[in-house]
Amino acid sequence: MKHGLKHVVGKTIRAVLVKERTRTPQSQVFLVFTDGTYFELYATEGNIYGTSEVRRGSTDDIRAYMPGGKVVLEAQGPTPA
């Protein structure tokens, strides 16, 4: 696994999106943080990987990321004041 997961410690999760695709990666989990960034975990053939960094973006950016996939689960917390 790449080492980007260490950068999520201390962040507050605002939303979680799960996407499925017919191509690799077949499954993706996105953790969306209150600071306007997100982190992606993805699975290929049963193995779970994390990306190397936390990226700037929103839930709309994630929905548009890697065409051909569809969001199969989305959960959002309240928007911070």
Side-chain angles (χ1 to χ4, degrees):
M1 181 177 285
K2 296 179 181 175
H3 300 291
L5 192 58
K6 66 185 175 187
H7 299 291
V8 306
V9 175
K11 289 183 174 277
T12 301
I13 297 173
R14 183 179 59 80
V16 176
L17 281 82
V18 177
K19 289 182 80 172
E20 290 182 351
R21 298 165 26 100
T22 56
R23 300 181 309 230
T24 301
Q26 288 106 1
S27 299
Q28 297 163 284
V29 176
F30 294 89
L31 305 176
V32 183
F33 305 107
T34 55
D35 66 358
T37 62
Y38 67 89
F39 184 76
E40 174 189 355
L41 295 159
Y42 60 94
T44 60
E45 299 180 16
N47 297 316
I48 298 173
Y49 301 95
T51 55
S52 59
E53 63 186 356
V54 172
R55 298 182 180 136
R56 182 147 300 281
S58 67
T59 53
D60 289 335
D61 295 322
I62 293 166
R63 286 186 201 96
Y65 179 63
M66 287 191 158
K70 65 178 182 176
V71 174
V72 295
L73 173 93
E74 182 172 343
Q76 292 197 38
T79 303

